[in-house]
């Protein structure tokens, strides 16, 4: 029973990390498609930047969640449900709408610092909201940010390589899949507390 209770938060945390990283993978797939050449320096640069931001933003959210956590303990499962469900729903809606990246960004070097910085911030905003949920999941901060950052870096690299190999077929599907994972995690959190 002890192993089972330790296993569930880890699975939830891994699901959260994968869900949050799907938009990184989708953006990376688009970058891989648009790149005239794709070298290992490009892969490491983009993966490091995306993974770094995905790890940093939950820390800010975690600090906020830890400070307000005692005040909202009675409603924490509803807050977690709303945040995770909102993030997941947003990802699905954006995937269905098929919002395209700015064409001007794609014409020049797709790995310019300014472009990647903007994309890294944009794809990590959801991680801030997820970071608020981490104290409610009783998730350890260091392990959580390590897992989220490493997962984002890995899926960014895979997205780049897949985009280069398979083209546009994957981008929107990855966003939608990430949204479904987060929605499932939201429902699971609510059901466990009710």
């Amino acid at each position: 029973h002890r192993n089972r209770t330790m296993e569930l938060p880890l699975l939830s945390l891994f699901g959260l990390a994968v869900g949050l990283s799907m938009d990184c993978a989708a953006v990376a797939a688009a970058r891989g498609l648009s790149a005239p050449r794709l070298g290992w320096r490009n892969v490491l640069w983009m993966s490091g930047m995306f993974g770094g931001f995905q790890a940093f933003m939950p820390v800010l959210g975690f600090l906020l969640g830890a400070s307000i956590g005692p005040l909202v303990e009675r409603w924490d499962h509803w807050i977690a449900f709303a945040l995770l469900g909102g993030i997941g729903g947003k990802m699905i809606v954006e995937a269905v709408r098929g919002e395209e990246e700015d064409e001007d960004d794609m014409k020049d070097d797709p790995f310019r610092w300014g472009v990647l910085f903007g994309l890294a911030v944009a794809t990590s905003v959801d991680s801030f909201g997820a970071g608020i949920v981490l104290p409610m999941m009783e998730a350890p901060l260091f392990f959580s940010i390590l897992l989220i950052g490493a997962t984002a870096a890995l899926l960014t690299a895979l997205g780049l390589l897949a985009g280069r190999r398979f083209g546009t077929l994957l981008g929107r599907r990855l966003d939608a899949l990430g949204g479904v994972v987060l929605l499932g995690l939201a429902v699971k959190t609510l059901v466990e507390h009710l």
Side-chain angles (χ1 to χ4, degrees), residues 17 30 40 82 117 131 144 168 170:
W40 283 109
F117 178 81
S144 300
T168 55
L170 294 175

Side-chain angles (χ1 to χ4, degrees), residues 78-99:
W78 287 105
I79 293 169
F81 174 76
L83 283 172
L84 292 173
I87 294 167
K90 175 175 162 278
M91 288 174 70
I92 292 171
V93 167
E94 287 176 356
V96 170
R97 276 194 201 149
E99 292 179 354

Side-chain angles (χ1 to χ4, degrees), residues 65 68-77 79 136:
I68 66 170
L71 302 173
V72 295
E73 194 170 345
R74 187 180 300 180
W75 302 286
D76 62 354
H77 51 285
I79 293 169
M136 300 170 194

Side-chain angles (χ1 to χ4, degrees), residues 121-194:
V121 171
T123 55
S124 64
V125 168
D126 291 344
S127 294
F128 175 82
I132 296 174
V133 177
L134 291 177
M136 300 170 194
M137 293 172 67
E138 297 180 359
L141 177 60
F142 180 75
F143 179 74
S144 300
I145 62 172
L146 189 65
L147 182 63
I148 291 169
T151 303
L154 176 64
L155 290 183
T156 298
L158 292 175
L160 269 172
L161 298 172
R164 191 75 183 139
R165 178 116 176 133
F166 300 113
T168 55
L169 296 175
L170 294 175
R172 294 178 193 169
R173 290 189 176 103
L174 288 174
D175 268 345
L177 179 60
V180 169
V181 168
L182 292 185
L183 280 176
L185 189 55
V187 171
K188 175 183 172 296
T189 301
L190 187 62
V191 167
E192 281 180 353
H193 283 82
L194 297 178

Side-chain angles (χ1 to χ4, degrees), residues 36-77:
R37 289 178 305 279
L38 182 64
W40 283 109
R41 284 182 65 186
N42 303 129
V43 174
L44 292 174
W45 171 238
M46 188 170 181
S47 298
M49 186 175 278
F50 276 43
F53 271 89
Q54 287 284 348
F56 174 70
M57 293 296 270
V59 174
L60 299 179
F62 186 95
L63 295 174
L64 178 63
S67 63
I68 66 170
L71 302 173
V72 295
E73 194 170 345
R74 187 180 300 180
W75 302 286
D76 62 354
H77 51 285

